Amino acid sequence: MAPVRGIASNLTHRTVKDPLMQCLLPSLSQTRFLATETSLPSSQTVINPFSSPYPLRRPPPIHPKVLTTLYSFPSLEPLGFTHYSSNQLALPLRKDILHRAVIFEADSARQGTASTKHRSQVHGSNRKIRPQKGTGRARLGNVKSPMLRGGGVAFGPHPRDFSTKLPRKIYDLAWRTALSYRYSRGELVVIDGDGFEDIEMAEPRWVRQILERNGMGNADGRSLIVTEGVRPNLFGALAGAGEQGRVKTKEDVDVKDLLELGRIVVEKSVLDWIFERHSSDIVRSLPSAVYT
């Protein structure tokens, strides 16, 4: 084995001009000799992926924060700032999801109570009005015939359920998409809970002046005011000034209301309640297939 060691050492210290020898030189320099029993160092450690029954979980996805200004009502003076996640107020516009949500709400709102009587349900005699033949007139049965006044209806409506189905995650995504669309256009005004005060009197002219002065009246597309509870003066004033805006509690608002009017004025507690209730599609953590 000594001659081989000598050849390798001589080749490493000698300049070789032959291209073939230049290619073989690295392999000869790394030749393992039979006289040695030391194993080559391993540059990569093999880990058994099934050595531990507990899977590793990736940390929850990081969503950048969205800055929102808090105002007082009815003066609309800025009071401070608050942060919301980007998957709550910075979602891209999805018209298809909004359309499905509006149709779902409209179908659920239909009463479906229209009802008519078939000829078998109309009160009257079953006697035939005139003979079948011999009179020269058209064939006619009893007085309950749909062709006669007071008779039954042939294919009239009957009570039915018009509601359709929509996955909960799609409906929750539609809520946050509508709010994100309003926020991106600067049409979402968040009112601090401590700064929301009821107006002084339940007069339509009073609330009309407030909305027009703040650029939220009829000339600016009207406004939707969403409150935590019933504000007697505000509700009474807007009942007579519907051309200026609309006021609702948080339980009466749907996706269509968020898209219908020109601006949304909502309390911070109501906005937090909406995000907490409609967040079933948000992925909190992602499971991983890596084991230790």
Side-chain angles (χ1 to χ4, degrees), residues 9-286:
S9 60
N10 293 335
L11 289 177
T12 55
H13 297 288
R14 183 178 302 175
T15 304
V16 181
K17 297 182 179 181
D18 188 3
L20 180 60
M21 295 302 295
Q22 292 179 357
C23 296
L24 294 176
L25 185 59
S27 61
L28 291 175
S29 62
Q30 297 178 1
T31 303
R32 181 186 179 190
F33 305 104
L34 299 177
T36 60
E37 297 181 357
T38 306
S39 60
L40 294 176
S42 177
S43 61
Q44 184 176 6
T45 304
V46 180
I47 301 176
N48 184 10
F50 302 101
S51 60
S52 176
Y54 302 101
L56 291 179
R57 291 190 176 272
R58 299 172 184 166
I62 300 176
H63 300 283
K65 299 296 183 179
V66 178
L67 186 64
T68 307
T69 307
L70 297 178
Y71 296 91
S72 63
F73 188 85
S75 61
L76 291 185
E77 296 180 359
L79 300 178
F81 301 94
T82 186
H83 296 274
Y84 287 100
S85 177
S86 61
N87 57 7
Q88 294 176 340
L89 285 181
L91 293 176
L93 179 61
R94 291 287 304 273
K95 294 183 179 181
D96 55 336
I97 293 181
L98 295 177
H99 177 265
R100 293 182 63 180
V102 171
I103 295 300
F104 168 73
E105 293 174 347
D107 292 340
S108 301
R110 297 188 64 176
Q111 295 182 356
T113 56
S115 179
T116 56
K117 290 185 178 181
H118 191 258
R119 64 181 304 169
S120 61
Q121 299 173 337
V122 177
H123 179 74
S125 174
N126 293 327
R127 182 182 66 85
K128 190 175 178 63
I129 295 179
R130 53 175 175 261
Q132 182 80 0
K133 295 178 178 293
T135 60
R137 303 180 66 181
R139 297 173 292 186
L140 189 61
N142 52 28
V143 295
K144 297 183 292 183
S145 173
M147 295 183 295
L148 299 179
R149 181 179 180 182
V153 180
F155 301 101
H158 297 283
R160 54 171 294 191
D161 184 14
F162 287 94
S163 63
T164 56
K165 293 183 179 180
L166 184 67
R168 176 63 183 271
K169 292 185 177 181
I170 295 181
Y171 187 60
D172 292 348
L173 181 59
W175 273 85
R176 302 198 315 276
T177 302
L179 292 173
S180 299
Y181 171 72
R182 289 299 195 180
Y183 177 81
S184 63
R185 295 172 57 91
E187 298 172 351
L188 181 64
V189 180
V190 183
I191 305 298
D192 191 6
D194 298 333
F196 195 100
E197 299 178 359
D198 199 2
I199 59 177
E200 297 181 3
M201 59 185 68
E203 293 290 337
R205 61 179 179 84
W206 187 264
V207 71
R208 188 180 295 110
Q209 294 176 2
I210 294 175
L211 295 178
E212 290 179 354
R213 184 189 63 181
N214 294 319
M216 298 186 302
N218 189 11
D220 299 284
R222 301 195 302 166
S223 297
L224 172 66
I225 303 177
V226 186
T227 61
E228 180 76 23
V230 177
R231 312 283 180 168
N233 293 340
L234 181 61
F235 276 69
L238 280 176
E243 75 283 355
Q244 300 294 331
R246 191 184 306 166
V247 59
K248 288 187 175 183
T249 57
K250 62 181 183 180
E251 292 83 4
D252 299 332
V253 179
D254 52 17
V255 177
K256 182 182 178 181
D257 295 329
L258 300 178
L259 301 171
E260 192 172 9
L261 301 184
R263 189 169 307 219
I264 300 175
V265 181
V266 58
E267 291 188 46
K268 183 181 181 300
S269 59
V270 176
L271 190 61
D272 297 339
W273 178 80
I274 291 176
F275 288 147
E276 181 180 359
R277 188 177 182 183
H278 300 285
S279 299
S280 62
D281 61 309
I282 297 179
V283 179
R284 303 298 181 182
S285 62
L286 299 177

